[in-house]
Amino acid sequence: RDWSSDVCSSDLELRWTKPVRPGDELSAEIEVLENRTSESRPDQGWAKIRTTTRNQADEPVQILTVNIIVNRRPAAPAA
């Protein structure tokens, strides 16, 4: 599935905490900090996420915090 049409962002905060060099091995961790259903569009919701990129020494080199709007999954049918 192509998720690119399902996401919109706002309130972006990007920090580079250390330099990144050619040859560095990077990994990323994404953490959902908050989520809620949109009051005006119940088929959508808001999520605040933080992505931390780390180098091979496990040091954070980039921290991105952003609020995103996403389409919500349909409700599960009643059993």
Side-chain angles (χ1 to χ4, degrees), residues 33-50:
L33 304 174
E34 301 173 31
N35 63 18
R36 62 179 161 55
T37 302
S38 169
E39 293 178 12
S40 61
R41 304 213 37 200
D43 61 327
Q44 293 184 334
W46 287 89
K48 183 175 191 172
I49 62 171
R50 178 173 49 227

Side-chain angles (χ1 to χ4, degrees), residues 6-10 38 44-47 67-71:
D6 293 342
V7 177
C8 177
S9 65
S10 68
S38 169
Q44 293 184 334
W46 287 89
N67 291 316
I68 59 173
I69 301 170
V70 294
N71 289 331

Side-chain angles (χ1 to χ4, degrees), residues 18-57:
K18 292 199 178 273
V20 175
R21 307 277 189 237
D24 281 355
E25 294 182 24
L26 304 176
S27 62
E29 175 184 74
I30 300 172
E31 179 182 4
V32 177
L33 304 174
E34 301 173 31
N35 63 18
R36 62 179 161 55
T37 302
S38 169
E39 293 178 12
S40 61
R41 304 213 37 200
D43 61 327
Q44 293 184 334
W46 287 89
K48 183 175 191 172
I49 62 171
R50 178 173 49 227
T51 303
T52 304
T53 305
R54 297 179 182 276
N55 63 14
Q56 63 277 6

